Amino acid sequence: MKVVLYPRVSSKSQLEGDSIEAQTLRLTNFCKDKGYEIVAIYTDGGKSASIDEDSLNQSISGDYFNNSFKLSKRPGFKKLLQEAKEKKFDAIIFFRWDRYSRDIAFADLSVRYFNKYGIKLIPTDDSEDPFVSSIMQVVNKQEVEKMKFRVRQTRLYRFSQGIMPGRSPFGYEPIKRDKKIIGFKPNTKESNIVKKVFEMAINGIDYKVICKELKIAPQSYYNIIRNPVYAGFITFEKQIKKGLHTPLIDIDTFVKLNKSFIPNETP
């Protein structure tokens, strides 16, 4: 059976971790074990698997409800669609359905398209059953949404309790109890640097001099200077309130360096 490989990653982080090369090796070995003949390799490295990137266009034309996708960001996949009509291969070998596409509509329509020309879709590390694949895509999408919801709820709860909702900023470290974060406390070494940054800045010393002396990057300098957490405040989704953590500077110092900051808690 003649096959084409479709290794694919969807972000820079995956490019570094789950690389195109690693997937290609996995797919190649799979084909060798099965006795498949590899005739080509197509890829869309670093392109998103979500429907947003595939630009869904919908329209009504007479009695037809049309759905089309702009594939400019998926040239490899576009090539697969074009060559399927020419029957240059019998199957497409890919890693998992979530690498193929995370969107059910896009996946289903493209599977139907390939089946029309007798092309099989074979994942090396997933079920070949279209029904199971649909369920897995729903599960994958739901898991992402559940994870986002859980993270937001955790941050919202911590904010309501006066605890920093995100990761500890430079100058602080988490206080844990039973592996759960219950607060934050100053990190001795880092907090001294933060205090020094504000002290030098309030005395009018140029940021370049401060960065050089304290050995910090300019972006780190601005991240420190502009963060109200050091004055005892916490923020979450445009809300602001006093936190329970120990401030590293007084509010007057922060306001002098951030004149647009209004130290009023959000109702």
Side-chain angles (χ1 to χ4, degrees):
M1 182 165 66
K2 294 182 178 181
V3 303
V4 295
L5 308 186
Y6 186 53
R8 183 169 181 273
V9 293
S10 63
S11 68
K12 291 182 179 179
S13 60
Q14 289 173 316
L15 279 168
E16 294 170 357
D18 183 15
S19 68
I20 290 293
E21 291 75 16
Q23 281 191 34
T24 300
L25 179 61
R26 170 75 179 112
L27 302 182
T28 300
N29 289 336
F30 176 85
C31 291
K32 287 181 179 179
D33 291 340
K34 297 290 185 179
Y36 299 156
E37 178 188 355
I38 300 172
V39 296
I41 300 175
Y42 301 107
T43 183
D44 289 316
K47 309 299 183 183
S48 172
S50 69
I51 206 70
D52 294 334
E53 291 295 337
D54 294 323
S55 300
L56 171 63
N57 295 307
Q58 297 179 304
S59 63
I60 295 291
S61 178
D63 295 328
Y64 291 91
F65 176 35
N66 302 311
N67 292 271
S68 61
F69 305 94
K70 185 177 180 181
L71 299 175
S72 59
K73 293 188 177 182
R74 294 185 68 173
F77 194 82
K78 180 180 178 182
K79 190 76 172 177
L80 286 174
L81 293 170
Q82 293 171 332
E83 298 201 343
K85 296 175 64 175
E86 301 171 19
K87 298 185 178 180
K88 291 185 177 182
F89 49 86
D90 304 303
I92 300 169
I93 312 298
F94 56 98
F95 187 45
R96 292 193 311 262
W97 286 105
D98 64 350
R99 294 297 88 233
Y100 180 82
S101 176
R102 289 196 187 96
D103 188 89
I104 299 172
F106 180 83
D108 183 59
L109 288 173
S110 59
V111 167
R112 289 172 184 243
Y113 177 88
F114 288 123
N115 287 342
K116 175 182 176 181
Y117 296 104
I119 307 296
K120 295 181 179 180
L121 285 98
I122 305 175
T124 61
D125 292 68
D126 226 337
S127 171
E128 288 186 40
D129 189 297
F131 178 69
V132 174
S133 72
S134 294
I135 294 176
M136 289 305 297
Q137 289 169 63
V138 171
V139 170
N140 288 334
K141 190 170 184 178
Q142 287 182 338
E143 282 304 309
V144 170
E145 293 305 315
K146 285 181 180 178
M147 182 178 67
K148 289 180 179 178
F149 177 77
R150 287 194 294 267
V151 169
R152 184 184 181 279
Q153 289 301 106
T154 298
R155 291 181 173 178
L156 180 59
Y157 173 76
R158 279 165 50 174
F159 179 76
S160 70
Q161 299 300 303
I163 302 171
M164 297 179 201
R167 295 179 180 178
S168 51
F170 183 81
Y172 288 94
E173 59 187 47
I175 302 171
K176 295 184 178 181
R177 179 186 298 161
D178 298 327
K179 297 182 179 181
K180 291 185 178 180
I181 296 176
I182 61 171
F184 293 86
K185 62 181 180 180
N187 174 287
T188 304
K189 182 179 179 180
E190 293 181 356
S191 62
N192 286 334
I193 294 175
V194 171
K195 291 175 182 177
K196 192 67 176 177
V197 167
F198 278 99
E199 180 186 332
M200 296 175 74
I202 204 70
N203 287 321
I205 298 176
D206 186 75
Y207 81 95
K208 293 180 181 179
V209 176
I210 297 175
C211 291
K212 184 176 181 180
E213 182 173 324
L214 299 180
K215 297 179 181 180
I216 60 174
Q219 188 58 54
S220 297
Y221 165 83
Y222 285 111
N223 289 342
I224 291 172
I225 288 293
R226 295 169 180 169
N227 195 340
V229 74
Y230 299 117
F233 289 85
I234 57 175
T235 59
F236 179 70
E237 295 181 352
K238 297 183 179 180
Q239 300 180 70
I240 184 168
K241 65 185 292 185
K242 287 285 290 184
L244 298 179
H245 62 282
T246 303
L248 299 184
I249 61 165
D250 60 78
I251 185 63
D252 291 337
T253 297
F254 186 80
V255 171
K256 286 179 181 177
L257 294 171
N258 296 271
K259 300 190 182 302
S260 62
F261 177 76
I262 302 175
N264 293 327
E265 295 191 28
T266 306

